[in-house]
Amino acid sequence: QAYNTAEKCFSYCVSLGENGNDLSRAQTFLLQSRYNRLKQQSNNNQDWTLLIQDCKQFISENGPVNDALPVAEILSELYVQRLKNSDSAIAVLEPFIESKYLQKTTLAQAKIVLADVLTISGDVWQSELLLAQVEKSFTEDNLGQSAKFKRAELSFYRGDYEWANMQLDVLKGATSRVISNDAIS
């Protein structure tokens, strides 16, 4: 959690520009470090506003690519939690869902994040559809198990306790210890 040190290191890597090693990843890690530091230390709205601007600029310069998804996740979380604007969060994430340049696992992660935002905005049906797509594509993977768990949560909150309980029973036997522990509790 030495985010100040991490920021200095990633700032140095970014300052090397194209001569350095993997500029976009260094920029991503720098933005993630700033975000984590601000979560711990800052209630200053100006710091948060600058981070939002920098995330928007990074995404506009790089587009919906694998390295940009963590920044899009940060930006969508800031839109939802700090600005109470789920429509902007959805607008940030949708290009990732439509991108033909994402790896299959990155696309699945983008769908899970978008599903969370859609749930917050009240569109549980679209959220469940995205989660079902991930679950189907990654049946034996942590991503699929995570999507199944989130679908079970949605069902529980919609009042379909029997289906939710059945899904959680399936997850209890999951190979992923983290998902299994979440389903048990």
Side-chain angles (χ1 to χ4, degrees):
Q1 295 181 353
Y3 299 119
N4 289 328
T5 303
E7 281 184 64
K8 289 176 186 173
C9 293
F10 292 126
S11 290
Y12 171 74
C13 293
V14 168
S15 74
L16 296 175
E18 294 298 326
N19 296 329
N21 190 11
D22 210 349
L23 176 62
S24 67
R25 288 190 73 201
Q27 291 171 319
T28 298
F29 291 139
L30 175 60
L31 291 168
Q32 286 176 314
S33 298
R34 279 179 56 199
Y35 172 68
N36 288 323
R37 178 182 53 82
L38 290 176
K39 278 195 329 188
Q40 284 187 337
Q41 301 172 353
S42 181
N43 287 325
N44 183 344
N45 284 336
Q46 185 177 4
D47 290 340
W48 290 105
T49 301
L50 288 173
L51 179 61
I52 290 170
Q53 289 172 354
D54 290 345
C55 288
K56 286 167 59 174
Q57 180 179 349
F58 177 81
I59 292 170
S60 70
E61 290 173 359
N62 292 283
V65 295
N66 293 314
D67 286 345
L69 181 61
V71 177
E73 288 181 43
I74 289 170
L75 185 56
S76 67
E77 187 174 318
L78 291 171
Y79 276 135
V80 169
Q81 292 182 356
R82 296 204 59 87
L83 301 177
K84 309 295 184 223
N85 187 345
S86 58
D87 290 339
S88 292
I90 293 167
V92 166
L93 294 167
E94 281 181 335
F96 287 86
I97 303 301
E98 299 163 2
S99 174
K100 297 182 186 337
Y101 303 108
L102 295 183
Q103 296 170 347
K104 189 176 177 183
T105 55
T106 306
L107 176 60
Q109 184 61 38
K111 286 181 178 183
I112 290 172
V113 173
L114 180 57
D116 288 343
V117 174
L118 288 168
T119 299
I120 291 168
S121 71
D123 190 352
V124 294
W125 302 111
Q126 184 66 24
S127 176
E128 186 161 8
L129 177 65
L130 290 171
L131 293 171
Q133 291 171 357
V134 174
E135 182 183 344
K136 183 177 179 183
S137 296
F138 291 89
T139 55
E140 300 298 323
D141 190 269
N142 285 346
L143 280 171
Q145 293 172 6
S146 178
K148 182 183 279 286
F149 180 72
K150 287 178 179 284
R151 283 186 70 201
E153 284 181 316
L154 275 175
S155 295
F156 177 82
Y157 289 117
R158 280 198 325 259
D160 191 356
Y161 304 117
E162 191 173 314
W163 192 89
N165 193 41
M166 184 175 65
Q167 295 305 305
L168 293 174
D169 285 342
V170 169
L171 285 169
K172 286 178 191 175
T175 56
S176 166
R177 205 168 267 216
V178 172
I179 298 297
S180 179
N181 288 342
D182 285 347
I184 290 169
S185 61

